[in-house]
Amino acid sequence: MTHGDGCCTTAEGGAEGDQHRPLILERVEKQTDKSWRTVASRRLKKHCSCTPQKAKSRILGFVPILKWLPHYQLRDWILGDVMSGLIVGILLVPQSIAYSLLASQDPIYGLYTSFFSSIIYAILGTSRHISVGIFGVLCLLVGQVVDRELALAGYLTESSSISRNVSAALLAGHGNDSIEVACDRSCYAITVGVTVTFTAGVYQVLMGIFQVGFVSVYLSGSLLSGFATGASLTILTSQIKYLLGLKLPRPQGWFTLFKTWYSLLSNLGNTNICDLVTSLVCLLILIPTKELNNRFKAKLKAPIPFELFVVIIATASSHFGNFNTDYGSDVAGDIPTGFLPPQLPLWSLIPNVAIDAFSIAIVGFAITVSLSEMFAKKHGYKVDANQEMYAIGFCNILPSFFRCFTTSAALTKTLVKESTGCQTQMSGLVTALVLLLVLLVIAPLFYSLQKCVLAVIIVVNLRGALRKFTEVPSMWRASRVDASIWLITMATSALVNTELGLLVGVLVSAFCVLGRTQQAQVLELGRAATREHYEALSAYHGLQTHPGVAVFRYAAPIYYANQSLFKKHLYKCVGLDPVREKTGRMKFTKKSKQQEKEGEGIPNNNSEKNFAGKEDGEAADSVKLMPNKKTSLRSIVIDCSAVLFLDAAGVGALREVRKDFREFGVKVFLAQCSTSVLDALQRGGYYPETKGPDGEESSRIFFTISDAVHYAKSLSVLNGDYDSGS
């Protein structure tokens, strides 16, 4: 393979040959590939060797709190961390109780989940700002699995429970054996929840072990936003029954949105007026006050916890008004103090929930990593995606033994945490102390809290996700591809199935990337008047072309999926399709022979030789074969600067293009190939090992388009075809 240095000596007789000096670069020789044994031995030595420094680095990397806690700036950071921890803890109390309803669990388990996740992430997490705890979308996914397994186990409605609430009984001493002895609906629900949570956590830790934290980059922002918005519609629909005071089972399978609305409309006459009035009053209070918090968040040192005020007032009203006994309003019920004894997941359930747990693990990790990277970039530090995988995995595995369900980072609470002065995860420990106080002392006071109030809190917190609908027009103007991904993911998540929406979003994103490579066009380039720079003729005015030399660019990788489209577009842009032309010639030859046989009988050898000579003349003069062909085309230069990679099919396509055009007297040259493309061409046999009639020309490397164009012109000068007047 020769570089472009030969074009200068070849063009010595040309008018421009002495003035143009081609760019000559020398490749760095690659090191010889080492045997797999050497590579394996080196990696084993690297990962299995243990030195004191390496052990210390691994421990500090796996437990980041040991790294930042000794350097904690107490005087500068403690006030902001305590303030943000207190505010987030106060907000988490009503939200933890409310989102337990969404996950089909008792309120106490939501408080457990927020408490344990805050402590574990503070120890293992690398982000200083995100708040890990209950997240609405994950609660929905867990709740769907729990309701499905409850239905399969025979717990069709909440009234089928053996007792009102099993939590107090477990505290009394039934412990883990209660699953086998007497497990009511609530007990079985949390058993399913912790099994799903444990399995999802194992998935996440395994992803961290195998260093697959990079998968988060394949979940685009539009995909995650569309998925969250679609899930928010499902959450909104699922909470309407609580706002109306209806006791309806959650539909299972696909198209749950339509099934839920049909069930709601069919039972509208059974609406509990007390719950409806309470829901409307709470909505009228919370929606305006939330908007006030958002509008004046720059002036407020901390957001006002209106949710907590509403919960306190609603609980007092329900208690003194006897809403549960007199009006049949559904309330939270007994919320015990203290902690329940540890309980193992139900191992026999893991095969039933393994697929659901995988989608939950992916969503939880993607949300956590995207938020942690966003805030790390904003505040100028780095997070480790794989360590985040470990952190969120153990936030699910360890709490699952204490009756907790799946957690991840939550945007709303993270924004509150950041805006109230958070500096480190010390604020997470303060939040855990607030929740511990509630668990040990205050929790039983929420006995009379109506479930419709909890549903109102959930619905009000969906405003941010539902507001995304107003951004669709601007999203469409910015990028139709991203807007399409958002709409398809959102519609599938909301209308068909939540988990399916995530899968469809990933597939649509992948097909959009592939589709962009299919839509790439071959563009003809022209030279700027003042310098050696080439751009598309269709994009800029005043560009000049070279007689006898055409320059083209293909802005996409050439691989098995688009190699045929590349050839098709190139032939169309050149104005000469060699394959079709050869087919036409064969038909013309066959027709001519038939005419000779009919008119003169069998033709003699001289006539065949004359026809062959005529055919050779047509091959040399390819201009006349197609009306769109530019006159006297002798060379084609393909700018490969935008070709990211080639596979075997792509190299084969370039070989075919060169061969097809060579038969019509047109030479093909490649310019500005990257080193990876050059290596692929070398491995694929594009450059001939033996020198043929034009083997030396075919093996040349041109680092600039101008080098290739000047060399092509020099060939025309030697052949006497160059128009010196141009």
Side-chain angles (χ1 to χ4, degrees):
M1 192 167 33
T2 60
H3 294 264
D5 53 342
C7 64
C8 207
T9 59
T10 314
E12 287 179 354
E16 301 178 5
D18 295 333
Q19 299 176 1
H20 181 76
R21 300 180 64 85
L23 176 64
I24 301 173
L25 297 175
E26 184 178 354
R27 284 290 298 273
V28 176
E29 293 185 3
K30 290 186 176 181
Q31 296 181 354
T32 57
D33 295 335
K34 298 180 180 179
S35 64
W36 66 270
R37 292 183 179 179
T38 306
V39 175
S41 175
R42 178 179 297 178
R43 291 190 177 181
L44 284 174
K45 187 180 295 184
K46 177 181 178 182
H47 293 287
C48 297
S49 62
C50 184
T51 62
Q53 294 81 5
K54 194 170 185 179
K56 179 181 178 182
S57 176
R58 287 293 177 89
I59 294 173
L60 293 178
F62 187 74
V63 189
I65 193 173
L66 299 178
K67 186 182 297 184
W68 60 261
L69 189 59
H71 304 285
Y72 188 81
Q73 300 178 20
L74 185 65
R75 185 170 298 178
D76 297 332
W77 293 350
I78 190 64
L79 183 61
D81 283 342
V82 170
M83 177 65 70
S84 63
L86 286 173
I87 295 298
V88 172
I90 292 171
L91 292 176
L92 269 177
V93 172
Q95 290 186 12
S96 298
I97 298 174
Y99 282 110
S100 301
L101 192 69
L102 188 58
S104 298
Q105 305 295 341
D106 287 343
I108 187 67
Y109 302 132
L111 294 171
Y112 287 162
T113 301
S114 297
F115 170 74
F116 283 108
S117 61
S118 297
I119 294 176
I120 294 172
Y121 188 83
I123 297 172
L124 299 179
T126 58
S127 173
R128 304 174 190 171
H129 295 88
I130 67 171
S131 174
V132 172
I134 292 180
F135 181 53
V137 175
L138 292 183
C139 290
L140 172 68
L141 296 176
V142 172
Q144 289 176 342
V145 179
V146 169
D147 286 347
R148 184 191 70 206
E149 295 301 321
L150 285 173
L152 292 175
Y155 300 100
L156 298 179
T157 61
E158 295 183 10
S159 60
S160 64
S161 301
I162 296 174
S163 61
R164 175 65 187 162
N165 195 312
V166 79
S167 302
L170 289 176
L171 279 174
H174 286 285
N176 297 339
D177 296 334
S178 63
I179 296 177
E180 300 295 336
V181 178
C183 190
D184 70 351
R185 187 180 191 278
S186 171
C187 168
Y188 194 72
I190 190 58
T191 301
V192 175
V194 300
T195 305
V196 173
T197 301
F198 175 82
T199 310
V202 170
Y203 282 138
Q204 290 167 335
V205 170
L206 288 176
M207 291 177 189
I209 292 174
F210 291 107
Q211 304 287 300
V212 293
F214 65 89
V215 297
S216 61
V217 302
Y218 295 105
L219 301 176
S220 63
S222 57
L223 186 154
L224 291 174
S225 175
F227 174 74
T229 305
S232 298
L233 288 176
T234 305
I235 294 171
L236 175 64
T237 303
S238 69
Q239 297 307 298
I240 292 179
K241 67 178 183 180
Y242 296 107
L243 300 180
L244 301 177
L246 299 174
K247 293 180 173 62
L248 303 174
R250 182 182 293 181
Q252 298 298 317
W254 290 7
F255 306 106
T256 56
L257 193 78
F258 301 106
K259 295 176 183 177
T260 303
W261 277 106
Y262 177 79
S263 181
L264 288 170
L265 295 176
S266 300
N267 294 274
L268 203 58
N270 300 325
T271 300
N272 187 303
I273 301 301
C274 177
D275 283 343
L276 177 61
V277 172
T278 303
S279 301
L280 292 175
V281 171
C282 292
L283 284 171
L284 291 175
I285 294 174
L286 282 179
I287 291 178
T289 53
K290 283 277 192 176
E291 292 298 327
L292 287 174
N293 263 341
N294 287 339
R295 179 163 296 186
F296 297 103
K297 62 183 178 182
K299 298 181 179 179
L300 294 173
K301 292 184 178 180
I304 302 174
F306 289 108
E307 289 175 346
L308 185 62
F309 297 156
V310 167
V311 166
I312 294 172
I313 295 172
T315 302
S317 302
S318 175
H319 175 73
F320 293 106
N322 298 318
F323 289 171
N324 178 234
T325 56
D326 294 349
Y327 302 101
S329 181
D330 205 3
V331 296
D334 291 323
I335 304 179
T337 57
F339 292 92
L340 300 174
Q343 172 184 305
L344 292 175
L346 192 58
W347 308 116
S348 60
L349 268 178
I350 291 180
N352 297 356
V353 302
I355 297 177
D356 305 283
F358 183 74
S359 61
I360 291 172
I362 293 295
V363 173
F365 163 69
I367 296 294
T368 302
V369 171
S370 60
L371 285 180
S372 60
E373 288 182 344
M374 180 176 71
F375 284 93
K377 183 178 180 181
K378 181 177 180 181
H379 292 276
Y381 62 92
K382 292 183 179 180
V383 294
D384 184 351
N386 287 305
Q387 180 60 28
E388 289 296 295
M389 190 86 81
Y390 286 127
I392 200 65
F394 283 109
C395 281
N396 288 322
I397 291 177
L398 298 179
S400 68
F401 297 108
F402 297 92
R403 296 175 178 82
C404 302
F405 46 90
T406 315
T407 59
S408 74
L411 177 61
T412 305
K413 292 183 282 292
T414 300
L415 289 172
V416 171
K417 194 172 181 179
E418 182 209 24
S419 63
T420 51
C422 171
Q423 298 293 331
T424 66
Q425 282 299 329
M426 183 67 73
S427 63
L429 299 177
V430 176
T431 298
L433 289 176
V434 175
L435 293 170
L436 181 63
L437 177 65
V438 174
L439 284 167
L440 296 179
V441 180
I442 304 174
L445 300 178
F446 295 109
Y447 174 90
S448 299
L449 178 60
Q450 293 168 271
K451 288 187 176 180
C452 63
V453 177
L454 302 178
V456 168
I457 293 174
I458 294 173
V459 170
V460 169
N461 281 289
L462 297 176
R463 293 172 305 114
L466 297 178
R467 199 173 283 139
K468 291 290 183 180
F469 283 104
T470 62
E471 301 176 9
V472 173
S474 59
M475 193 187 308
W476 183 265
R477 288 190 296 269
S479 172
R480 294 187 178 183
V481 173
D482 287 341
S484 300
I485 293 172
W486 189 92
L487 289 170
I488 294 173
T489 306
M490 181 275 301
T492 308
S493 300
L495 303 179
V496 184
N497 182 270
T498 309
E499 294 92 338
L500 183 66
L502 181 64
L503 176 61
V504 169
V506 172
L507 293 177
V508 170
S509 299
F511 282 123
C512 285
V513 173
L514 292 176
R516 290 179 180 180
T517 66
Q518 304 292 311
Q519 294 177 350
Q521 299 289 326
V522 175
L523 302 174
E524 184 173 6
L525 308 184
R527 178 183 177 276
T530 57
R531 62 183 61 191
E532 293 283 349
H533 182 74
Y534 290 80
E535 284 297 340
L537 291 172
S538 58
Y540 298 96
H541 295 290
L543 299 179
Q544 302 172 355
T545 59
H546 302 278
V549 181
V551 184
F552 300 98
R553 174 184 294 155
Y554 189 66
I558 305 174
Y559 63 112
Y560 70 95
N562 70 345
Q563 51 91 15
S564 59
L565 292 174
F566 161 71
K567 292 191 292 184
K568 178 182 176 181
H569 292 157
L570 179 63
Y571 294 158
K572 182 179 179 181
C573 196
V574 171
L576 171 63
D577 188 340
V579 177
R580 183 181 299 177
E581 201 64 41
K582 288 165 65 175
T583 304
R585 287 186 175 189
M586 292 175 63
K587 291 182 179 180
F588 178 76
T589 303
K590 185 176 180 180
K591 185 176 180 181
S592 300
K593 288 183 177 181
Q594 288 178 351
Q595 290 177 352
E596 289 179 359
K597 288 180 180 179
E598 293 175 358
E600 303 177 3
I602 301 175
N604 56 28
N605 293 336
N606 292 331
S607 63
E608 291 182 0
K609 291 180 180 178
N610 292 335
F611 184 82
K614 179 180 179 182
E615 187 176 355
D616 291 338
E618 290 176 349
D621 189 11
S622 60
V623 176
K624 300 178 181 178
L625 293 173
M626 293 186 68
N628 295 332
K629 187 74 183 68
K630 301 174 181 63
T631 60
S632 65
L633 179 63
R634 288 292 176 266
S635 301
I636 294 175
V637 177
I638 301 178
D639 175 18
C640 298
S641 58
V643 178
L644 298 179
F645 64 87
L646 295 172
D647 64 357
V651 176
L654 290 174
R655 283 203 310 264
E656 291 175 12
V657 166
R658 183 179 63 185
K659 178 177 176 292
D660 291 341
F661 278 116
R662 184 194 301 155
E663 295 179 0
F664 289 86
V666 179
K667 300 183 184 298
V668 176
F669 302 103
L670 306 182
Q672 299 194 135
C673 297
S674 64
T675 54
S676 61
V677 171
L678 289 174
D679 292 338
L681 292 171
Q682 185 69 34
R683 291 192 302 266
Y686 180 82
Y687 298 110
E689 297 180 2
T690 59
K691 301 295 183 181
D694 59 346
E696 186 178 354
E697 296 168 4
S698 302
S699 62
R700 292 185 180 277
I701 297 176
F702 298 99
F703 296 106
T704 65
I705 298 176
S706 59
D707 286 351
V709 170
H710 280 280
Y711 181 75
K713 284 184 177 181
S714 71
L715 296 180
S716 299
V717 170
L718 292 178
N719 294 331
D721 296 332
Y722 181 64
D723 184 5
S724 60
S726 298

